[in-house]
Amino acid sequence: MIVSLLQPLVLDSKQKILEQVLSLIELAALRDHTDLVVLPELWNTPFINAEILKHQDEWDDYIHPLQQIAKSLSIWIVAGTLLRQEEGKLYNSCAIINSDGEIVSIADKTHLLEVHTSKHTYYEKDVFTPGNQLKTFLTPWGRIGILICMDNRFPEAARTIAKDCFMIVAPCGFNDKVGPIHWNPLFQARAMENQVFYLATNPAKKSYATYTSYGHSLVVGPDGKILDQLDEKPGLLTIEIDPKQVDQIRKRTPYWDLRRTDLY
């Protein structure tokens, strides 16, 4: 299975950001023969509430072109997150698009970010409503789970969905303060403790007022080893993985069978 992580630069033009993303998807499909593409969290807006709200009516503007290119190139797309409205509420949502261009699942971010420092306080709940379901989806290669950025901070969330999955995808929006400390060890730990592949994506590095995106999208193997990683610049990471490695590693060290569910 060939997977591609997209690390776009967030731009101030819908047309420009779409052109950038669609060209990267086309490159991944035609040059690298990818099967699955993963986009990051909020790739169409800076992670600043006032800016986020400017894009609350644009779900279809981004999702429809992604559906069209998925069908035309016969690839799966994890569409990163965009603002999605439902019954008067806004959700930080990721659509899963299959190779026929159909939306097979939509995952809403379930844990909303809060930041408390002496200089800056931030609440994602000022914009978004949290989702109430953890999602997985079935693909031709096996079942994949999805956890959006802050969701990955909670080991219970990954443990809840990982057993039947060979991979977890993590569209994220880490900043350059937390990224250098937490990014690699967080996803190595989640991959290793659940014995799954982890694909974690961020937008490329760029500063917007109080927020600077981090980049460094990466692929982690089910043994916790980083298999490949981008730097902070815009780009595309394509790598071949073997889903059967998950079964091999789980047989070698059967964490799932050794859990003391009588204690925890």
Side-chain angles (χ1 to χ4, degrees), residues 5-9 40 174-176 179-180 183-184 200-206 213-219 226 228-238:
L5 280 61
L6 269 62
Q7 186 167 284
L9 191 65
F174 270 53
N175 67 30
D176 70 336
W183 180 253
N184 285 13
T201 53
N202 264 327
K205 185 172 183 178
K206 189 175 181 181
S213 47
Y214 179 59
H216 292 87
S217 301
L218 83 170
V219 178
I226 294 176
D228 207 348
Q229 184 166 21
L230 296 173
D231 57 18
E232 75 278 4
K233 296 185 289 294
L236 170 69
L237 187 164
T238 299

Side-chain angles (χ1 to χ4, degrees), residues 23-36:
S23 66
L24 286 171
I25 292 173
E26 188 172 11
L27 184 64
L30 299 181
R31 184 194 68 184
D32 300 335
H33 308 292
T34 195
D35 297 302
L36 175 78

Side-chain angles (χ1 to χ4, degrees), residues 106-110 130-136 146-147 151 161:
I106 295 177
D108 301 320
K109 190 174 185 178
T110 57
N132 291 314
Q133 287 185 303
L134 299 174
K135 294 291 186 75
T136 67
I146 177 167
L147 295 172
D151 295 340
I161 65 173

